[in-house]
Amino acid sequence: MKFIDEYRDPEAARRLSGAIQETVTRPWTIMEVCGGQTHTLLKFGIDQLLPPGLRLVHGPGCPVCVTPLQQIDQAIALALRPGVIVCTFGDMLRVPGSTTDLQRVRAAGGQVRMVYSPLDAVRLAQANPAAQVVFFAVGFETTAPATALAVLQAKARRLANFAMLVAHVRVPPAMALILSAPTNRVQGFLAPGHVCTVMGYREYRDLAARFRVPIVVTGFEPLDLLEGVLLTVRQLEQGRHDVQNQYARCVRAEGNQEAQRIVEQVYEPVDRTWRGFGVIPGGGLQLRRDFAEFDAAVRFPPTGDAALEPAACRAAEVMQGLLRPDECQAFGKECKPEHPLGAPMVSSEGACAAYWHYRRYSPPRDPEP
Amino acid sequence: MSPPPFPEPAPACPLPWGDSDCVLLAHGEGARQTRRLVRDLFFRAFGNQALLRAGDSAVLPQPGGRLALTTDSFVVSPLFFPGGDIGALAVHGTVNDLAVVGATPQYLTAGFILEEGLPLATLRAVVGSMADAAAAVGVQIVAGDTKVVPRGAVDGLFINTSGVGILPDGLDLGVHHIQPGDRVLVSGTLGDHGLAVLAARAELELHGDLRSDSAPLADLIAPLLSLGPDLRFLRDPTRGGLAAVMHEIAAATDLGIVIEESVLPVSPAVRGAAAILGLDPMLVANEGKLVAVVAASAVEPALAMLRAHPLGRHAAAIGAVTEQAGEVLVRGALGTLRVLDEPQGAPLPRIC
């Protein structure tokens, strides 16, 4: 099987784990940015293969988790409007808004459609001229090219009934925020491999130089993560702070330039509130004025009701790497995937969900069959 | 211009006249249209003595042992998918529920809820497939019902079944027999059905051989019954996959299970499709597979019996029962442990 089994080979994993053990001479704290990387770490027990002083801290790379609460409430309000169909990636269905979620809205009769691609939403709009179709554009730079393409298609087809609720977020400003915080303990980063497939990694050179931290662009399979960690600790032990590319089979320094061109054409950076972080300057993308006709926030102005986070939810601390999910008092009690307090417990890239799905047993007993 | 001629006798109420190539509301009204549909389509396909007597109930001979009784409903979309269709699935799913308690399936009922506008050719194909599947297993469909609902109330057609089987004396399979040290076996590759249906429904053009494994299991199971009390428990892992069965066992017994992920049989096509879609084959439905819990000493004979049958070629011992109450764990590719995910909500709706 190509591209899966080779990157899960136990022998190679043992060799990499051994190399990490030999390289490390003191404690280090490394952050893996992307939620998909967090899930691999926990699913494959990579943290159990690392030396005790090497701490992995889980980053905010879960776009569903950082989508501002106001925008989730907005999507919910749109789904409740007669004549509007909200299209969304599957993950968003169960994310809690202030009072409810899209899945419940759908069960109550609201028009919510799950799609695999934003282009499906454009097709839906074409096929249903009597309805207003709104696509909830969530994701990092990884999904922005596809959503940009959807806007370009809608414009080319002169669709008057297609709009996008744009909630895209950008990684480098968030990393800068984490590194600038006085409470920061992160000394090295595993950068998100699929974001970098689109954007390349030139932006990270500035960050590495400014904050003097090694940044290694890393993939998502177990061997990718082990190799990413090895490259990072080598740099740390040698006092270096360079950008390296572990995920060379997918990522080039300049990234996918055609994809970047489309994103640049349709979107511009904007200050955006990240759920759990507050406003991050340049932390989001919004539609350029040329495409304002497709902006759902313009076509359906939000009512401006205050967004309310449940008091017990500590997602903010989790996503900044200050709290491990299983250390939260609500973990597994008031907060479970079937009744989450916040997004990280319900998103497929959420750190809390990863701990819930894979670590809900008494460690580290190893029953022999 | 003269009015169009009416057929003789002229209709006294607004029944559709002439033949239709689609199911109409009239077909469900219990009158002439229904009788014709039942006679020309259902009876012709299912024909057997008990059914053709056409009473309100089938009258059957006295059973020769304890009865096992099951019911099931089938709402799969699309109706036809690689490796099967809703009709064959309805037969297989029902007889398998009987077979896993050790019963020999004998009779089925079939209730149809049809959507107005369903092409009769489609209905004929589904019913024909059901009849073929029933004949292959040696069960008779002895009673049925037909309802028609307005367009949109169901998606094409839904089938409800019940099944009756006979249990041999002394046979008593169940979770209560499971003990620490017992082993978990599966009869073959996991996740085939769910992924095939998902790919067909979403029209995902995935290259690779994704086919439902829909099949009857009674013949695969029969030799295992000779293991006596060493055969503790059988289940077919449908909705929720292997994971659902494992969690069910742990919850019912207050024991634990550890699965060895590296020995799980998974076809390359399913492994690839699941990886792309972010699904775990252990949580995906199967419709022609068996999970068996056996005493450790019975593993080799049980595997030999399974592998001797075409449906059990890839049978494997994949896990063990432990004393860690309620903990269902997986030992992964790298030798580390994690909790086996429990099926949440409906990740793959309407697959069976």
Side-chain angles (χ1 to χ4, degrees):
Chain A
M1 183 72 236
K2 295 185 179 358
F3 296 113
I4 302 180
D5 292 342
E6 300 95 313
Y7 297 95
R8 298 181 184 182
D9 173 49
E11 256 317 301
R14 261 189 283 280
R15 279 197 301 272
L16 285 167
S17 159
I20 294 170
Q21 305 268 4
E22 281 163 31
T23 306
V24 166
T25 65
R26 58 200 129 132
W28 298 110
T29 299
I30 299 176
M31 173 180 274
E32 89 281 355
V33 174
C34 181
Q37 293 166 333
T38 308
H39 270 249
T40 297
L41 278 168
L42 289 165
K43 181 172 175 174
F44 290 89
I46 309 270
D47 53 335
Q48 296 169 35
L49 302 175
L50 299 177
L54 185 50
R55 211 174 137 235
L56 285 170
V57 151
H58 311 306
C62 164
V64 164
C65 304
V66 302
T67 297
L69 188 54
Q70 292 92 322
Q71 289 190 296
I72 296 182
D73 288 345
Q74 236 180 306
I76 288 170
L78 284 170
L80 289 167
R81 267 174 97 116
V84 176
I85 305 175
V86 170
C87 293
T88 172
F89 296 132
D91 250 16
M92 291 309 297
L93 287 173
R94 291 183 297 147
V95 173
S98 294
T99 51
T100 182
D101 57 53
L102 284 169
Q103 189 177 62
R104 262 171 250 215
V105 166
R106 182 170 64 180
Q111 290 253 58
V112 180
R113 216 70 75 86
M114 189 186 93
V115 293
Y116 285 104
S117 157
L119 304 182
D120 291 341
V122 176
R123 273 191 281 273
L124 191 70
Q126 261 189 303
N128 293 275
Q132 286 284 333
V133 174
V134 177
F135 178 71
F136 197 0
V138 171
F140 288 111
E141 298 94 320
T142 329
T143 55
T147 67
L149 199 59
V151 172
L152 291 174
Q153 270 193 3
K155 192 161 179 110
R157 295 175 198 185
R158 302 179 198 285
L159 293 180
N161 64 330
F162 176 81
M164 284 213 315
L165 184 58
V166 179
H168 283 303
V169 283
R170 298 176 58 232
V171 170
M175 283 170 66
L177 190 81
I178 289 171
L179 285 164
S180 313
T183 46
N184 176 52
R185 289 166 300 178
V186 177
Q187 296 160 306
F189 282 92
L190 304 183
H194 290 148
V195 172
C196 292
T197 304
V198 173
M199 299 303 292
Y201 51 85
R202 284 198 277 242
E203 291 171 288
Y204 296 91
R205 290 189 177 135
D206 280 342
L207 280 171
R210 205 168 119 207
F211 293 98
R212 305 176 70 79
V213 285
I215 300 180
V216 177
V217 179
T218 305
F220 296 83
E221 293 295 331
L223 293 193
D224 291 322
L225 284 156
L226 284 167
E227 198 171 37
V229 169
L230 177 61
L231 291 173
T232 309
V233 294
R234 270 196 194 136
Q235 286 203 47
L236 287 169
E237 292 281 338
Q238 292 164 9
R240 287 162 41 213
H241 46 270
D242 302 318
V243 177
Q244 282 180 284
N245 181 11
Q246 179 281 327
Y247 201 24
R249 66 184 184 279
C250 279
V251 179
R252 294 177 305 208
E254 68 276 15
N256 181 329
Q257 307 212 283
E258 180 59 25
Q260 289 170 34
R261 194 188 61 74
I262 295 177
V263 171
E264 177 78 11
Q265 184 186 354
V266 172
Y267 294 116
E268 60 191 358
V270 71
D271 297 346
R272 175 149 289 144
T273 307
W274 281 37
R275 193 170 179 179
F277 282 81
V279 178
I280 299 190
L285 291 174
Q286 72 179 5
L287 285 167
R288 289 188 183 273
R289 200 170 310 153
D290 283 347
F291 300 95
E293 70 200 271
F294 298 107
D295 194 332
V298 169
R299 196 179 296 185
F300 307 100
T303 55
D305 287 339
L308 294 165
E309 292 282 13
C313 181
R314 300 175 68 185
E317 290 166 82
V318 170
M319 285 190 297
Q320 293 173 53
L322 300 172
L323 178 72
R324 227 176 57 196
D326 56 352
E327 291 166 350
C328 171
Q329 79 287 350
F331 180 83
K333 306 193 186 76
E334 305 99 297
C335 190
K336 287 183 185 182
E338 52 264 37
H339 46 80
L341 291 182
M345 181 53 91
V346 87
S347 166
S348 65
E349 292 191 277
C352 303
Y355 273 83
W356 173 262
H357 286 303
Y358 303 125
R359 286 298 160 86
R360 220 171 54 239
Y361 69 98
S362 334
R365 215 182 322 123
D366 194 338
E368 281 306 304
Chain B
M1 189 163 103
S2 56
F6 283 102
E8 290 291 293
C13 65
L15 267 178
W17 47 275
D19 283 330
S20 164
D21 60 356
C22 285
V23 172
L24 305 168
L25 287 174
H27 283 118
E29 288 306 312
R32 181 160 60 104
Q33 300 276 10
T34 308
R35 272 203 311 280
R36 281 175 62 182
L37 185 71
V38 169
R39 184 194 71 208
D40 295 342
L41 202 148
F42 293 107
F43 277 15
R44 180 170 295 178
F46 296 149
N48 56 70
Q49 286 273 34
L51 185 64
L52 293 174
R53 287 239 176 80
D56 272 349
S57 296
V59 179
L60 305 169
Q62 187 114 355
R66 291 171 298 159
L67 291 178
L69 174 64
T70 187
T71 184
D72 218 335
S73 294
F74 298 87
V75 299
V76 63
S77 167
L79 299 178
F80 293 86
F81 41 86
D85 61 81
I86 190 173
L89 190 64
V91 170
H92 297 153
T94 315
V95 301
N96 290 346
D97 282 347
L98 295 169
V100 294
V101 301
T104 305
Q106 302 250 280
Y107 306 111
L108 299 188
T109 69
F112 292 82
I113 302 180
L114 307 174
E115 183 186 19
E116 176 189 20
L118 176 76
L120 283 174
T122 305
L123 181 59
R124 216 170 274 124
V126 167
V127 170
S129 178
M130 249 181 120
D132 290 344
V137 174
V139 294
Q140 296 182 334
I141 299 174
V142 296
D145 182 61
T146 309
K147 295 290 185 299
V148 181
V149 291
R151 194 178 277 277
V154 301
D155 187 2
L157 75 95
F158 291 169
I159 305 177
N160 169 265
T161 61
S162 62
V164 169
I166 311 292
L167 275 166
D169 285 337
L171 184 61
D172 174 35
L173 299 170
V175 287
H176 51 282
H177 295 304
I178 297 177
Q179 304 162 21
D182 285 348
R183 305 295 279 275
V184 180
L185 312 183
V186 294
S187 62
T189 55
L190 298 175
D192 297 1
H193 176 80
L195 250 346
V197 172
L198 177 62
R201 181 164 62 237
E203 291 165 33
L204 304 173
E205 283 158 55
L206 295 171
H207 295 280
D209 195 21
L210 286 175
R211 296 177 63 77
S212 168
D213 58 348
S214 174
L217 297 173
D219 284 350
L220 181 67
I221 290 172
L224 295 177
L225 301 181
S226 67
L227 293 170
D230 281 352
L231 176 66
R232 316 288 201 211
F233 172 82
L234 293 171
R235 179 62 52 87
D236 58 335
T238 55
R239 273 179 308 177
L242 173 72
V245 178
M246 297 295 96
H247 281 284
E248 212 181 290
I249 292 174
T253 60
D254 221 28
L255 295 171
I257 301 180
V258 177
I259 307 272
E260 298 293 328
E261 190 168 35
S262 54
V263 302
L264 284 176
V266 179
S267 78
V270 167
R271 194 192 295 279
I276 290 175
L277 296 171
L279 298 170
D280 185 337
M282 283 193 277
L283 274 72
V284 176
N286 309 271
E287 292 287 344
K289 296 293 178 332
L290 195 60
V291 173
V293 180
V294 302
S297 54
V299 169
E300 291 312 319
L303 284 177
M305 288 174 197
L306 289 169
R307 288 171 181 161
H309 191 285
L311 293 178
R313 264 198 318 265
H314 299 291
I318 56 135
V321 179
T322 70
E323 283 171 324
Q324 329 293 1
E327 286 187 351
V328 183
L329 306 181
V330 179
R331 194 186 321 275
L334 306 188
T336 51
L337 284 176
R338 68 176 192 273
V339 173
L340 173 61
D341 228 346
E342 192 163 1
Q344 295 279 345
L348 296 180
R350 300 190 51 216
I351 43 170
C352 60

